[in-house]
């Protein structure tokens, strides 16, 4: 998971507790619980659109006018997105991170004098995330388990539950594969000076990792032992 995708896709709110009997835990309920943990599909879609807006504004203004126009458009859109998040009473940290990410990308583009510079920092992030994912697997603490176990309603000793540990290890390997592909594409298209393609890759990252989050939570809940309902 990279920094931008995590900002778009993750949630710190704990999900519901695991089902107490088999009748409570159908596939639909599990999938719905995974979505609910992130605030619902509508919230996810609106959040992804707001996160992508500065990038889209930059690409359009840069193509239509100039790099400076693109930077101004990105700055104005990022400020509007910041205000939108505050109006929706989102956590201040999330709103500030979104603003700072755009500011840092714009600063690099201004310093390099190239539109592709706007995507230099996002292009480096997959390499960092790849290293973190591999290290987490090697030390027996898969990254998705560290991040998502509480959201999934998992037990604190999940590392000692083979089924849960396997789910988190496998989903972390999926993150490794996604970041390998992402890193390779970033290198190729940054070298070829293709800012539009870099922008598409940047925007696509959020939905991809949102899917990984939802699927991981769903399978983690399936792997949790069911507690018998009390009998009277």
């Amino acid at each position: 998971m990279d920094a931008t995708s995590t900002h778009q896709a993750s949630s710190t709110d704990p999900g519901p507790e695991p089902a107490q009997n088999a009748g409570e835990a159908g596939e639909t309920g599990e999938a719905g619980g995974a979505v609910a943990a992130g605030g619902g599909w509508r919230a996810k879609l609106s959040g992804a659109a707001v996160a992508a807006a500065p990038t889209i504004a930059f690409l359009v203004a840069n193509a239509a006018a100039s790099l400076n126009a693109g930077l101004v458009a990105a700055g104005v859109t990022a400020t509007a997105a910041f205000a939108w998040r505050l109006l929706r009473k989102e956590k201040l940290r999330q709103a500030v991170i979104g603003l700072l990410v755009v500011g840092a990308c714009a600063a690099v583009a201004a310093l390099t004098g190239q539109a592709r510079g706007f995507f230099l920092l996002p292009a480096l992030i997959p390499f960092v995330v790849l290293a973190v994912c591999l290290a987490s697997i090697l030390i027996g603490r898969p990254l998705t388990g560290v991040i998502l176990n509480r959201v999934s309603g998992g037990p604190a000793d999940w590392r000692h539950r083979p089924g849960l540990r396997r789910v988190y290890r496998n989903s972390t390997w999926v993150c490794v594969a996604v970041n390998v592909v992402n890193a390779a594409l970033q290198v190729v298209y940054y070298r070829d000076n293709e800012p539009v393609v870099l922008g598409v890759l940047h925007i696509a990252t959020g939905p991809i990792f949102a899917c990984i989050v939802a699927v991981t939570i769903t399978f983690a809940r399936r792997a949790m032992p069911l507690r018998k309902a009390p009998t009277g």
Side-chain angles (χ1 to χ4, degrees):
M1 300 181 181
D2 66 34
T4 306
S5 64
T6 301
H7 172 63
Q8 293 176 19
S10 67
S11 170
T12 56
D13 295 328
E17 293 296 322
Q20 294 184 339
N21 56 63
E24 294 176 352
E27 291 185 5
T28 303
E30 291 170 339
V35 173
W41 282 114
R42 182 175 298 178
K44 282 184 175 294
L45 289 174
S46 62
V50 170
T55 298
I56 296 172
F58 171 78
L59 291 172
V60 172
N62 176 71
S66 65
L67 175 61
N68 287 336
L71 296 177
V72 170
V76 171
T77 308
T79 303
F82 178 78
W84 183 85
R85 288 183 171 118
L86 292 183
L87 289 173
R88 287 178 57 87
K89 298 182 179 180
E90 293 187 11
K91 292 182 179 179
L92 181 61
R93 183 181 64 178
Q94 295 177 343
V96 171
I97 289 175
L99 191 61
L100 291 178
V101 166
V102 175
C105 292
V108 174
L111 289 172
T112 61
Q114 297 178 321
R116 68 177 179 176
F118 191 85
F119 303 103
L120 178 58
L121 294 179
L124 297 176
I125 290 173
F127 295 95
V128 177
V129 178
L130 181 59
V132 172
C133 285
L134 290 173
S136 73
I137 292 172
L138 288 175
I139 65 175
R141 294 176 178 268
L143 184 61
T144 56
V146 173
I147 295 175
L148 298 177
N149 184 65
R150 181 170 177 268
V151 178
S152 303
D157 64 342
W158 61 268
R159 292 189 301 116
H160 303 292
R161 307 290 182 96
L164 267 179
R165 189 174 66 247
R166 187 181 307 112
V167 168
Y168 294 138
R169 185 178 63 244
N170 290 344
S171 63
T172 301
W173 275 117
V174 172
C175 290
V176 168
V178 169
N179 277 287
V180 166
V181 174
N182 190 16
L185 292 174
Q186 299 278 1
V187 169
V188 170
Y189 289 109
Y190 192 89
R191 181 196 61 195
D192 292 346
N193 194 18
E194 295 284 354
V196 174
V197 180
L198 291 170
V200 171
L201 292 173
H202 180 60
I203 293 170
T205 301
I208 289 172
F209 282 103
C211 289
I212 293 175
V213 166
V215 172
T216 299
I217 293 174
T218 298
F219 279 92
R221 287 179 175 159
R222 288 183 181 179
M224 293 176 196
L226 299 177
R227 295 196 297 266
K228 293 182 180 180
T231 57

